[in-house]
Amino acid sequence: MYEEVGPTVSVFDRAYDDPVRVLDEDGEVVGDVPDLDDEALVEMYRHMRLARHFDGRAVSLQRQGRMGTYPPLSGQEGAQIGSATALAEDDWLVPSYREHGAALVRGLPLKQTLLYWMGHEAGNATPEDVNVFPVAVPIASQIPHATGAAWASKLRDENDAFLCYFGDGATSEGDFHEGVNFAGVFDTPTVFFCNNNQWAISVPRERQTRSATLAQKAEAYGIDGVQVDGMDPLAVYRVTTAALEKARDPETDRPRPTLIEAVQYRFGAHTTADDPTVYRDEDEVERWKAKDPIPRLEAYLRSEGVLNDERVAEIEAAVETRVADAIEAAEAEARPKPREMFEHAYAELPQELERQYEEFAAFREAHGDEAFLEE
Ligand SMILES: Cc1ncc(C[n+]2csc(CCOP(=O)(O)OP(=O)(O)O)c2C)c(N)n1
């Protein structure tokens, strides 16, 4: 592979089907522990607990009719928090629609994520100082965006890296090929992070591609590809840190992109509009739940004397308060006006959207929708 990329190259110098691991399923050390101090490790654990609790509450809100469709992340906290923790302050995070955990590490307020899934256009307005791209629902569309933005950043000598997330299903899209190929040719500072959670809604990983691994797709683009145990947050941190360093690489002035395949599982439904019991067995879910990234990191931190019952209880209480406060703040916002659906994408509404709006307005009026008529 690429010899000039510096001391972290060893993490990429392995078979594509040999995932990098640091902790086993019981939290025992089986690989090189990354150089993180105790506070940073606790912060990682805190973020994972926060993401998990937020997720459970968000699903409940949707079930109670207090939120629209929501894509749960449980099971994927190790991949999200481990990778986002590796970002430097000025780096950029380019999410799909499930990266609520990664985004909170970057400082996106939980209220913002709630507003988005509650249907407020304001949920799309990322604060100026938060380097997170908007949610991308069209599968893989964010991949060429991440390549293009990274290329622009390189041309401006900004030395920032772009971490782009997508699922296993996204690797079958043309946008994946175009984005990663371009990155390889133009040496853009992009890290392509594939959350292989085994399912693209109801399509299993085996039906997605004949490739034995997704990591090996990197070979075709002339870049490094590496598999990591995506439910091992320390392994994910280690691999992403190495890839980001290689993406910035001011030493050689030659950034190189990387494709990371984080092998993991989504414990819940694809979204709250999906019922996974019709396409996957409970046994499979239970097998993966034994690899849960949260107890795994907790067991390690307890064995190192970094966490104890008291500290865990404190974190639990703080997490619950933070999520409750965010829900209260989001629900205090006035409900979005239906007209907002048609705004923001264009400075002036194109004729076709104007026609759709008129039709929609007539429908609402015919049904005596008072709230709508108040506008
Ligand atoms: C271009 C496009 N085609 C189809 C869809 C409908 N769709 C939404 S999610 C999804 C599956 C995505 O699976 P994957 O890429 O593995 O991501 P995951 O949600 O599992 O993280 C599909 C087909 C879409 N959003 N965009």
Side-chain angles (χ1 to χ4, degrees), residues 7 10 24 51 74 76 186 206 284 313:
S10 62
D24 71 8
S74 286
Q76 303 194 201
F186 287 87
E206 306 74 54
E284 177 182 300

Side-chain angles (χ1 to χ4, degrees), residues 24-44:
D24 71 8
E25 289 165 23
D26 301 318
E28 300 283 340
V29 174
V30 291
D32 293 343
V33 177
D35 187 17
L36 282 165
D37 63 25
D38 290 354
E39 267 321 297
L41 288 166
V42 171
E43 189 67 355
M44 233 189 207

Side-chain angles (χ1 to χ4, degrees), residues 236-256:
V236 172
Y237 173 83
R238 192 172 151 227
V239 167
T240 314
T241 301
L244 288 166
E245 275 174 17
K246 188 154 62 76
R248 289 187 217 99
D249 202 5
E251 300 276 300
T252 62
D253 199 26
R254 187 181 172 205
R256 291 295 301 158

